Amino acid sequence: MFSFPRRARKLPLNLCLANFPFPARWPAFPFRHKGLYDESHALAIAILKKEVRIPDGDNTRPDPDTLLAVLRRDELPSHARSQVFSGMGPGVAKTYTMLRVVSPIHEFFLAGVSIALVTGASWLLAPFTGYQAIALLYLLLVVAVGLKLSRGPVLTVAASSAILWNFLFVPPRFTFYIHNFHDAVMFVTFFVVAIAMGHLTSRLRLSEVAERRRERRTAALYELAHQAAFATDLDTGLRAAVSLITSIFGAQAALLLRQKDHTLSNVTHPASSLTLSEKEKSVAAWAFGRRMPAGKFTDTLPDSEALHLPLQARITVMGVLAIRPSAGKSFDLTERELLEAFAVLIGLILEKEHIIEAFKHAEILEASERLHRALFDSVSHELKTPLSAVQTGLDALARQVGGEEKKRVTLREIQSAVLRLRRVIDNLLNMTRIETGVVEPKLDWCDVGELIRAAIELAGDALHEHHIIIEGDEALPMVKLDQPLLEQCLSNLLINAANWSNPETKITVRADVDGNELLLTVLDEGKGLNESDLAHIFEKFYRASDARPGGTGLGLSIVEGFVRAHGGFVHAANRKTGGAEFALTIPVETIRAETMEGLS
Amino acid sequence: MSEKPTSLVIDDEIQIRRLLRIVLEEEGYRVLESETGRQGLSDVALRRPDVVLLDLGLPDMDGLVVLQRLREWSHVPVLILSVRDGPEDKVTALDAGADDYVTKPFDSTELLARLRAIQRRVPFGTEDPYFQAGHLAIDFNTRTVTVDGCEVKLTATEYALLKALAQHAGKVVTHKQLLREVWGPNAENQSQYLRVYVTHLRKKIEIPSAPEKLLKTESGIGYRLILPAQK
């Protein structure tokens, strides 16, 4: 149940009327209405003869649902027709919630007729029963009217009964003068009783109506929950929801769902019983984007054929429900509420489905990652263990051999072969990691100079015959990246450069930070790349036409894979001055040491 | 130490154990072997080795678990010897109490150097107030640092960082350990400070022309202050 804190603010009605921001399209209002306007909430409510209490100290903008709940609590007359419309004020998004109360003219008419009938009958009966019994007849009328009509007409009937009884029946007749004290008491009592009864019966009726309305709402929601939420699959559930809307509201409905990329689908869900034109779809897109109702009966694009309600779930909007009422029909307060409740429920059902699916997907992914990890671990164990036995054995042998030149040469050959095998295995394992998509960069702050030096160290003996020059690393900010990963990339590029250029030439590593991008370029003075190779050199196992024997064709593809996993890209080109250049562009966060707090 | 130091190799591969025995015995160690984690744990308890070489991929239990159990009651230096070469694996093992980490296949000379480094068990400052590594000398009493005999001015933080590295000289010290020791337990994620100070420190204590850098970056793991004997 909706409950309020005791302290609530009631705005004076005249002030409200004065402040009421009339929307551009004001519905045809045949009657005087009083309004409530809460400026801080930029939200307005206009209802007839009702004040709305907005909780004090609540500075968030209440949503239309909350306001409707407030209004419901205030027990609106059952014939109140609601028109809730959301719209845009000049420049500012505003939601106006307005309730239009339809004239009870026909009720007053009915009241008049019934009074006339009872008065006529009393006129005939009075000579036989005496004037006092007539009062009871009138009371009966008040009760009867109270059970049927709303409060205004009932109170009118009560008051006019008292007056008519006095004027027409109480002696002296045809005057308002009451001769005897006994009759005067009776008249006052009658008046009070009639008013009280009228009031009580109309209240009784109202609560009964409210009860029935609640029941209808509960039943409909239960039906939807039962049919849709517990359906074996989503499509059946949505079909049930649409057919329920059709049967309850006599309206056609269409569903546009959110797609995987979090945009609204352009194709209606197959469960829909309504086809949407492009124009309607754009209204739906608006409702989806703004998370507000749009289209017919709202202030946004009211010319549309259908009412578009966003399917608001707990976190996101899961789609849009478009409802086209049959011609000439509009939705009353209850129906509108119910439709919105439907939209929420459908949204929740979709969200539930979405979460289940995401969960399943994550489980599968986790299982495959675990499997991959186990496989990868065991393969690398099986490859590396014998290799490390060979390596250790060689080391031991090298010590035992001592100065025997021939044996030492042989050992050195074996050692370099082992080293090569080690590189191949490392490359293959790295390639496997890239291919299976398990490379996840772990970002941490890093000094670019340190990164470059570590990469050079990693490349080790392969660079000993070249002069390595580092440029531009001095004044750079710190960058956030996965250092081991990029070290490996840079080191591969350096080894590649060394392999393709003559000893004693220069290899330059140039670093630069441009905005949020780190640029690392490796330049060599070799013979450069063949044009025909340029397009393929990052492909796995691709070997340039004039490659030296011994490579695996994996070094550059690993660079490409690691850099891509890091969100960057690598580019190869020939230098104008001869030689090749490889440039890594990596998106990074940067921070300057001098802007860091707590540095002394 | 006149007596031979004892080493315990915990590895399930018999070939590796045999070869390690050759390398270690040649270096003057007494070598004990355990095939499983469980046996390794009981061997550490009963035979009190001076240093442990632990493989992570053991048949009965993960090497990390062995390390954790071991660290509940023993401070014996532990060198991890594993095929797992990811930085995360190394950091996990080091933060769990391993003294250093060598990946297979390994270079025997490097392995021996690391073994020597992790056995320098004497807590610094209590025993020897002087520290020397190549051209770098530190006097912990007077808090003076000299490079090639010339005194170098360090800020308080730079000195604290250098001291932390020198106390673990020859061993890798993880980012987390350094941040905790120099900046306190709340700074474990403030790696940017560490990077800045290491860069500053490098400029002050390293000689650009020297062939060997004093402060080695262990990428994704931490830093290592190289002792001259170490390669």
Side-chain angles (χ1 to χ4, degrees):
Chain A
M1 241 358 254
F2 197 86
S3 69
F4 270 120
R6 280 244 182 89
R7 282 179 62 240
R9 175 178 57 202
K10 237 179 192 180
L11 297 175
L13 286 180
N14 49 359
L15 177 77
C16 301
L17 269 181
N19 282 336
F20 198 92
F22 287 87
R25 279 175 55 89
W26 192 246
F29 250 160
F31 301 104
R32 189 171 63 87
H33 52 273
K34 294 173 181 176
L36 252 187
Y37 172 55
D38 184 329
E39 203 168 14
S40 68
H41 296 154
L43 202 140
I45 303 149
I47 57 167
L48 190 68
K49 289 177 183 165
K50 283 290 164 192
E51 285 175 279
V52 172
R53 297 157 77 91
I54 291 164
D56 209 11
D58 177 9
N59 287 325
T60 55
R61 206 189 73 169
D63 59 313
D65 280 346
T66 314
L67 285 160
L68 283 175
V70 177
L71 297 172
R72 205 156 45 240
R73 215 174 80 96
D74 276 2
E75 288 177 351
L76 279 168
S78 62
H79 53 264
R81 288 268 178 272
S82 76
Q83 195 152 21
V84 182
F85 50 99
S86 319
M88 303 287 292
V92 198
K94 285 179 179 167
T95 304
Y96 306 103
T97 304
M98 204 179 59
L99 296 165
R100 191 172 61 174
V101 179
V102 158
S103 147
I105 272 192
H106 67 285
E107 292 201 354
F108 280 105
F109 177 73
L110 266 178
V113 169
S114 56
I115 283 195
L117 281 176
V118 170
T119 307
S122 305
W123 190 264
L124 296 175
L125 280 175
F128 308 103
T129 59
Y131 68 90
Q132 281 166 340
I134 299 302
L136 295 177
L137 215 58
Y138 274 118
L139 276 185
L140 204 63
L141 168 69
V142 172
V143 172
V145 164
L147 285 173
K148 209 65 208 157
L149 305 180
S150 55
R151 195 178 305 180
V154 171
L155 295 184
T156 317
V157 167
S160 42
S161 300
I163 290 160
L164 279 172
W165 178 62
N166 177 5
F167 189 75
L168 295 177
F169 299 102
V170 179
R173 295 175 76 179
F174 309 114
T175 63
F176 288 110
Y177 178 72
I178 297 174
H179 178 61
N180 110 26
F181 178 71
H182 176 72
D183 289 341
V185 171
M186 182 122 174
F187 170 73
V188 172
T189 319
F190 178 88
F191 197 87
V192 171
V193 168
I195 297 281
M197 268 175 110
H199 185 70
L200 285 175
T201 45
S202 81
R203 258 183 73 174
L204 194 72
R205 201 176 125 270
L206 270 184
S207 60
E208 186 211 321
V209 167
E211 186 62 37
R212 216 181 306 142
R213 201 191 301 170
R214 266 200 295 281
E215 201 181 287
R216 194 180 142 199
R217 188 183 145 91
T218 316
L221 281 175
Y222 174 75
E223 184 90 345
L224 177 64
H226 195 75
Q227 289 195 9
F230 298 115
T232 44
D233 64 300
L234 187 63
D235 281 2
T236 323
L238 293 178
R239 243 175 221 122
V242 169
S243 70
L244 205 61
I245 290 171
T246 312
S247 70
I248 292 180
F249 303 100
Q252 289 175 304
L255 283 163
L256 288 170
L257 303 189
R258 190 183 76 160
Q259 302 176 109
K260 283 215 167 64
D261 58 356
H262 292 210
T263 57
L264 191 65
S265 163
N266 200 29
V267 184
T268 52
H269 188 269
S272 312
S273 60
L274 168 70
T275 42
L276 296 178
S277 65
E278 281 310 310
K279 189 188 153 211
E280 291 296 316
K281 281 176 185 167
S282 64
V283 182
W286 191 94
F288 180 77
R290 297 295 176 95
R291 303 183 167 201
M292 281 207 275
K296 203 173 178 120
F297 312 125
T298 74
D299 210 30
T300 312
L301 308 162
D303 297 335
S304 318
E305 280 183 1
L307 168 67
H308 297 261
L309 296 173
L311 301 172
Q312 175 72 52
R314 257 166 312 166
I315 309 158
T316 49
V317 178
M318 299 301 296
V320 172
L321 170 67
I323 312 116
R324 192 179 67 188
S326 44
K329 196 185 175 303
S330 72
F331 298 125
D332 69 10
L333 173 64
T334 332
E335 286 170 331
R336 178 63 194 261
E337 268 171 26
L338 196 55
L339 275 174
E340 281 177 9
F342 266 41
V344 170
L345 196 54
I346 295 173
L348 287 174
I349 291 166
L350 287 169
E351 193 183 45
K352 179 200 83 178
E353 206 64 29
H354 172 75
I355 289 170
I356 289 175
E357 223 154 80
F359 182 69
K360 272 189 199 153
H361 183 68
E363 263 188 346
I364 291 169
L365 211 68
E366 200 193 331
S368 85
E369 243 167 55
R370 251 203 322 266
L371 182 68
H372 171 262
R373 173 93 205 171
L375 210 71
F376 186 82
D377 277 356
S378 102
V379 169
S380 66
H381 182 264
E382 289 312 308
L383 287 174
K384 285 181 180 176
T385 305
L387 194 64
S388 78
V390 172
Q391 172 91 56
T392 316
L394 276 175
D395 288 350
L397 262 184
R399 261 173 250 201
Q400 291 160 13
V401 162
E404 288 177 64
E405 190 52 35
K406 256 189 176 171
K407 285 183 181 168
R408 274 178 53 194
V409 171
T410 319
L411 271 177
R412 218 176 299 139
E413 285 308 313
I414 303 176
Q415 242 153 0
S416 80
V418 169
L419 194 69
R420 185 165 147 196
L421 188 57
R422 218 170 125 174
R423 284 231 166 101
V424 171
I425 289 175
D426 280 342
N427 278 344
L428 281 171
L429 290 174
N430 276 334
M431 204 61 227
T432 315
R433 283 173 65 205
I434 293 167
E435 299 259 290
T436 44
V438 291
V439 181
E440 256 181 59
K442 295 185 102 178
L443 306 185
D444 200 357
W445 292 108
C446 147
D447 181 80
V448 181
E450 187 182 298
L451 166 71
I452 296 172
R453 278 172 198 94
I456 293 169
E457 204 168 313
L458 188 65
D461 291 345
L463 307 181
H464 273 183
E465 293 173 329
H466 290 79
H467 301 289
I468 311 292
I469 294 164
I470 305 174
E471 279 179 9
D473 65 309
E474 284 295 322
L476 291 184
M478 269 199 295
V479 292
K480 206 170 195 180
L481 44 74
D482 186 319
Q483 187 169 343
L485 217 57
L486 286 171
E487 223 173 270
Q488 184 71 55
C489 292
L490 200 53
S491 150
N492 281 12
L493 289 181
L494 285 166
I495 294 173
N496 185 65
N499 284 342
W500 287 91
S501 59
N502 295 323
E504 300 304 318
T505 55
K506 278 189 272 183
I507 297 175
T508 310
V509 183
R510 191 179 293 156
D512 193 15
V513 170
D514 182 13
N516 283 325
E517 280 181 344
L518 171 68
L519 251 112
L520 290 171
T521 318
V522 175
L523 309 119
D524 65 45
E525 294 178 345
K527 56 186 170 178
L529 302 151
N530 287 333
E531 287 301 321
S532 57
D533 291 332
L534 262 178
H536 305 286
I537 78 177
F538 294 113
E539 280 170 21
K540 170 168 68 142
F541 300 117
Y542 182 81
R543 316 240 5 241
S545 34
D546 48 354
R548 294 183 200 173
T552 50
L554 283 175
L556 290 178
S557 6
I558 287 169
V559 172
E560 201 270 339
F562 278 176
V563 171
R564 188 156 33 83
H566 213 299
F569 57 90
V570 55
H571 177 76
N574 280 319
R575 298 170 73 185
K576 280 178 194 147
T577 54
E581 73 170 71
F582 288 84
L584 305 178
T585 310
I586 297 130
V588 286
E589 256 181 76
T590 61
I591 186 172
R592 289 228 165 247
E594 50 274 22
T595 62
M596 273 161 44
E597 279 176 31
L599 274 183
S600 51
Chain B
M1 270 189 262
S2 55
E3 216 173 286
K4 278 185 172 181
T6 311
S7 63
L8 172 67
V9 178
I10 309 178
D11 198 317
D12 60 322
E13 295 282 342
I14 183 150
Q15 232 178 358
I16 300 281
R17 288 205 308 272
R18 274 197 216 130
L19 287 162
L20 276 174
R21 175 180 284 278
I22 295 170
V23 171
L24 291 171
E25 279 180 349
E26 209 170 273
E27 189 70 12
Y29 285 93
R30 223 155 57 81
V31 181
L32 305 172
E33 293 175 26
S34 309
E35 204 180 330
T36 62
R38 231 172 286 280
Q39 197 201 328
L41 282 173
S42 77
D43 280 349
V44 176
L46 297 173
R47 304 168 82 171
R48 303 268 159 198
D50 298 300
V51 64
V52 174
L53 290 91
L54 175 64
D55 181 25
L56 288 183
L58 295 170
D60 60 334
M61 58 207 281
D62 193 277
L64 268 181
V65 181
V66 176
L67 178 64
Q68 280 157 358
R69 298 254 176 97
L70 197 63
R71 278 291 172 256
E72 284 167 14
W73 48 268
S74 169
H75 288 293
V76 61
V78 173
L79 180 75
I80 301 289
L81 207 50
S82 171
V83 292
R84 299 181 197 165
D85 58 359
E88 309 87 46
D89 296 314
K90 295 183 188 173
V91 168
T92 313
L94 291 167
D95 284 338
D99 290 86
D100 211 334
Y101 197 111
V102 173
T103 48
K104 290 180 191 170
F106 50 84
D107 179 86
S108 309
T109 325
E110 190 188 335
L111 176 79
L112 293 171
R114 300 280 180 90
L115 270 184
R116 273 195 302 277
I118 65 172
Q119 283 181 90
R120 296 167 70 250
R121 279 267 101 180
V122 197
F124 249 94
T126 57
E127 193 90 340
D128 189 359
Y130 302 103
F131 172 83
Q132 174 98 38
H135 54 261
L136 175 78
I138 308 171
D139 183 338
F140 292 108
N141 281 336
T142 57
R143 299 168 73 96
T144 46
V145 177
T146 52
V147 174
D148 266 350
C150 305
E151 194 179 331
V152 178
K153 286 265 170 257
L154 294 184
T155 65
T157 313
E158 285 163 2
Y159 178 77
L161 182 62
L162 182 61
K163 190 176 160 188
L165 284 163
Q167 280 173 346
H168 303 281
K171 294 195 288 182
V172 61
V173 192
T174 63
H175 296 143
K176 209 162 140 187
Q177 286 168 0
L178 281 172
L179 285 162
R180 207 166 36 209
E181 277 186 39
V182 178
W183 282 274
N186 295 329
E188 276 179 16
N189 295 319
Q190 309 289 320
S191 59
Q192 68 271 33
Y193 294 133
L194 184 59
R195 303 303 162 126
V196 171
Y197 278 100
V198 167
T199 313
H200 289 181
L201 195 59
R202 274 222 172 98
K203 281 181 192 150
K204 290 187 181 175
I205 64 165
E206 281 188 347
I207 300 169
S209 59
E212 293 282 341
K213 294 279 175 276
L214 202 56
L215 208 54
K216 187 174 187 299
T217 307
E218 295 283 345
S219 212
I221 302 161
Y223 295 95
R224 185 195 300 273
L225 189 69
I226 307 279
L227 282 174
Q230 247 182 313
K231 225 184 165 182

